[in-house]
Amino acid sequence: AQSVTQPDIHITVSEGASLELRCNYSYGATPYLFWYVQSPGQGLQLLLKYFSGDTLVQGIKGFEAEFKRSQSSFNLRKPSVHWSDAAEYFCAVGAPGAGSYQLTFGKGTKLSVIP
Amino acid sequence: DTAVSQTPKYLVTQMGNDKSIKCEQNLGHDTMYWYKQDSKKFLKIMFSYNNKELIINETVPNRFSPKSPDKAHLNLHINSLELGDSAVYFCASSQARLAGSYEQYFGPGTRLTVT
């Protein structure tokens, strides 16, 4: 079974600073990888996804993530954080294969932004 | 138009009651899900339906019963509510393809409080 680890429970950055949120996964083959963001009181919004191909994927709101097979990682980055980026971020892994629809989520990283 | 909608947004009820949460998606997807998010923000899959058939049924009490009248709707009925059922319940949908799991789109969530 797949699993996801987000080592940082809470990260605080200053507005304008760069950001990297860590995500490590466990899966026997190449998984499908996702980052979602949850603003307070809201549902989850898909930021970006990796299925195959280029290991650097671009998402919405200026976010990008890089898949590193050797490190089993899929870290999320943003060069300059905005106050509106304060939210909870979830990494998720999906198992490819016919009939497999399950996403496994990490426990989330809460991002606080100092003005 | 809202892609995945849930009603109600808030639900406060007493222990022992029976309640339902409704979910509708207008994305034309063929797979729908229910997730539970606990007080620590941990998201866990509960059920998944594909073309009105149950395909994922994680270990949840049988007091929880999903019902899918058609591909666009997946309702969650909960009998004999308990304090531990208090959580945010998210509905999601996706379009399954031959190779397996793909991005899921989430509703805004239903905050259930059992007193």
Side-chain angles (χ1 to χ4, degrees):
Chain A
Q2 64 266 33
S3 65
V4 178
T5 301
Q6 293 181 245
D8 304 306
I9 296 173
H10 190 184
I11 284 183
T12 300
V13 300
S14 298
E15 191 169 16
S18 63
L19 171 70
E20 182 169 28
L21 302 182
R22 296 183 291 165
C23 173
N24 293 96
Y25 68 90
S26 174
Y27 183 66
T30 302
Y32 296 153
L33 295 161
F34 308 84
W35 274 101
Y36 284 86
V37 60
Q38 183 180 23
S39 298
Q42 303 297 314
L44 279 79
Q45 182 181 21
L46 180 67
L47 282 177
L48 46 76
K49 58 187 182 285
Y50 172 79
F51 293 156
S52 65
D54 193 345
T55 56
L56 184 63
V57 294
Q58 303 296 322
I60 62 172
K61 304 185 180 187
F63 285 92
E64 67 177 26
E66 186 171 12
F67 169 58
K68 293 186 177 180
R69 183 191 306 273
S70 61
Q71 298 177 18
S72 297
S73 68
F74 188 57
N75 294 349
L76 182 70
R77 300 194 293 249
K78 185 169 185 177
S80 178
V81 169
H82 189 262
W83 65 266
S84 60
D85 293 324
E88 192 92 22
Y89 291 80
F90 293 92
C91 182
V93 59
S100 174
Y101 305 93
Q102 187 166 346
L103 281 186
T104 300
F105 284 85
K107 294 190 176 182
T109 298
K110 182 177 181 178
L111 174 66
S112 296
V113 180
I114 301 172
Chain B
D1 285 342
T2 304
V4 183
S5 60
Q6 296 178 227
T7 53
K9 188 169 175 63
Y10 300 96
L11 184 54
V12 181
T13 188
Q14 292 184 328
M15 287 175 55
N17 285 349
D18 303 337
K19 291 293 179 186
S20 292
I21 305 172
K22 296 185 176 182
C23 178
E24 177 181 3
Q25 55 94 3
N26 61 6
L27 298 167
H29 289 167
D30 61 3
T31 305
M32 297 183 72
Y33 312 79
W34 278 109
Y35 287 86
K36 180 180 180 180
Q37 186 177 47
D38 62 24
S39 59
K40 295 186 178 180
K41 301 282 189 178
F42 182 56
L43 270 162
K44 187 168 169 55
I45 184 81
M46 299 175 69
F47 301 102
S48 173
Y49 267 76
N50 175 252
N51 286 318
K52 301 198 302 174
E53 288 191 27
L54 182 65
I55 56 171
I56 293 176
N57 184 1
E58 292 296 307
T59 306
V60 299
N62 57 16
R63 299 181 294 104
F64 291 80
S65 54
K67 286 184 173 55
S68 181
D70 55 57
K71 285 199 316 183
H73 296 84
L74 180 63
N75 303 324
L76 183 66
H77 189 75
I78 315 170
N79 290 326
S80 304
L81 278 155
E82 300 178 356
L83 292 177
D85 298 332
S86 295
V88 181
Y89 293 83
F90 286 101
C91 178
S93 72
S94 69
Q95 179 61 39
R97 295 179 177 85
L98 290 177
S101 56
Y102 286 81
E103 61 266 36
Q104 297 178 14
Y105 294 86
F106 283 76
T110 295
R111 181 174 294 276
L112 172 65
T113 303
V114 183
T115 61

